[in-house]
Amino acid sequence: MNTTSGKIEIAIKGLRKSYGDTIALDGIDLNIPSGRCYGFLGPNGAGKTTAMSIISTYLPADAGEITVGGIDAAKNPSGVRRMLGVVPQEASLYEDLSARENILFFGGLYGIDKAKLSKKTSELIDLLGLKERADEQVKRYSGGMKRRLNIACSIAHDPPIVLMDEPTVGIDPQSRNFIYEFIEGLSAQGRTIVYTSHYMEEVERLCHRVAIIDHGRIIAEGTKDELIEMVRGEDVVIIELGDIAADVLKPMLDKYAKLSPIHEDGGIRFTGPGIHKDVPAFIKDFIDMGMTPKSLHIHEPNLETVFLKLTGRELRD
């Protein structure tokens, strides 16, 4: 698939959406480039799904403008929809039909030539690891198989832009790997992919650019390297202690307050430049207080570090 280098595929300006008193999107501005995998990274409830629903024209915005492939989404929603393949969080399938029948049905909605659609269906079944059970009823499938099939149905019409909303949540490792490899293949073809997730690891693997979203706002945007440069030198040290009350740990938290200590999940997380050098002092202080650390982890900066630095909490909070 041919794309134009540097071309903006999806332009978003001043996007706002509220549900009653709850602000889901608070004035988002974004330019999503053509032929790349673009990630929305943020915790549950950050506004990712709302943004995807508005881009796909299934949900009206309260304010703002969106153009997709140069088409104004508000003025020509049907034109936008023809360009999109949409993979929702929840599988939308006919469970009494087989995988093959589902793909043929959804592809047929776009008026694709039957011979071409049949060939495309077989290709998708093979690529997504469904060949051995392609003619079984979908209701016999595992959750991971249904998710893979849902992806196949969403792109049977060969769209240039694919929106994928948390496609790996709650599925088995085998299905997750199939999906990762399939997305990498789509990206290599030059398709534009918009991918939402609260899993830092998969966004780092799949996405060329990332927008970190929280409470309906874009708090950072750029390539992985550009985002990590924001916290370059910010080491993270996690000392696991087991079940220890917060008041017992208070002296340590106060002593190292400049390192932003966070007490969570039976341990303490310290964040700061070059703090791996302070590890011997941490250990000595814990032992002097009668506590023996169970384990120690030292992490280099990643997108989780960026989110923690910008919000003061972990990505999955």
Side-chain angles (χ1 to χ4, degrees):
M1 177 172 295
N2 294 322
T3 60
T4 302
S5 178
K7 177 184 175 183
I8 301 304
E9 192 74 88
I10 301 174
I12 300 172
K13 184 177 180 181
L15 193 62
R16 296 182 181 276
K17 182 67 179 179
S18 297
Y19 300 99
D21 294 331
T22 301
I23 299 174
L25 296 176
D26 192 10
I28 286 180
D29 296 299
L30 275 181
N31 289 320
I32 298 176
S34 173
R36 293 286 189 172
C37 184
Y38 191 98
F40 280 106
L41 178 65
N44 292 328
K48 303 186 302 296
T49 295
T50 297
M52 295 286 264
S53 297
I54 295 174
I55 293 170
S56 61
T57 76
Y58 291 128
L59 184 69
D62 294 337
E65 301 173 359
I66 297 179
T67 59
V68 179
I71 299 174
D72 187 313
K75 295 179 179 178
N76 188 3
S78 61
V80 167
R81 290 174 190 169
R82 283 193 293 270
M83 299 181 66
L84 300 178
V86 180
V87 183
Q89 283 190 31
E90 300 295 330
S92 178
L93 301 165
Y94 290 100
E95 299 218 342
D96 287 332
L97 300 181
S98 68
R100 190 181 307 279
E101 289 167 335
N102 267 278
I103 299 172
L104 289 170
F105 172 77
F106 284 104
L109 295 177
Y110 291 85
I112 301 172
D113 174 79
K114 289 185 178 180
K116 182 179 179 181
L117 179 57
S118 179
K119 180 180 178 181
K120 183 67 175 180
T121 297
S122 296
E123 290 175 356
L124 290 170
I125 285 170
D126 192 35
L127 286 170
L128 286 162
L130 299 170
K131 188 173 182 178
E132 292 183 2
R133 299 178 61 183
D135 297 306
E136 286 187 29
Q137 287 181 308
V138 170
K139 62 186 177 185
R140 300 176 184 172
Y141 280 16
S142 68
M145 292 177 68
K146 289 179 181 178
R147 192 68 61 87
R148 284 184 264 160
L149 175 58
N150 204 44
I151 292 172
C153 292
S154 299
I155 65 169
H157 58 298
D158 213 20
I161 305 169
V162 183
L163 308 182
M164 309 186 84
D165 193 9
E166 304 261 14
T168 66
V169 171
I171 63 173
D172 59 278
Q174 182 185 24
S175 290
R176 186 176 293 113
N177 286 331
F178 268 114
I179 291 172
Y180 288 164
E181 291 173 3
F182 188 73
I183 292 170
E184 287 167 341
L186 290 178
S187 185
Q189 294 171 10
R191 295 178 197 267
T192 303
I193 302 168
V194 185
Y195 189 98
T196 78
S197 180
H198 61 273
Y199 294 132
M200 177 270 299
E201 299 87 355
E202 63 184 33
V203 169
E204 286 194 333
R205 170 175 173 172
L206 297 170
C207 300
H208 299 94
R209 291 188 71 85
V210 180
I212 299 179
I213 185 170
D214 188 43
H215 295 305
R217 294 183 178 181
I218 303 299
I219 59 175
E221 195 274 350
T223 66
K224 171 187 168 183
D225 289 342
E226 288 170 347
L227 292 171
I228 291 176
E229 190 62 34
M230 297 170 61
V231 292
R232 186 65 63 192
E234 295 273 340
D235 296 337
V236 175
V237 172
I238 301 174
I239 299 176
E240 300 291 341
L241 298 164
D243 189 15
I244 297 178
D247 59 335
V248 176
L249 290 172
K250 190 175 186 304
M252 277 290 286
L253 299 177
D254 291 342
K255 180 175 181 177
Y256 292 102
K258 66 179 182 180
L259 299 178
S260 305
I262 298 175
H263 179 210
E264 58 185 9
D265 298 329
I268 296 183
R269 171 193 290 265
F270 300 96
T271 304
I275 62 172
H276 63 278
K277 300 173 184 176
D278 296 321
V279 167
F282 296 157
I283 301 299
K284 182 178 183 303
D285 283 343
F286 281 121
I287 292 174
D288 289 346
M289 293 174 64
M291 294 177 284
T292 302
K294 297 179 179 297
S295 63
L296 170 71
H297 306 275
I298 301 175
H299 301 277
E300 293 183 356
N302 55 25
L303 294 180
E304 182 102 29
T305 317
V306 177
F307 188 84
L308 182 65
K309 179 73 173 180
L310 294 173
T311 67
R313 67 184 195 281
E314 287 195 308
L315 190 58
R316 293 181 179 84
D317 287 354

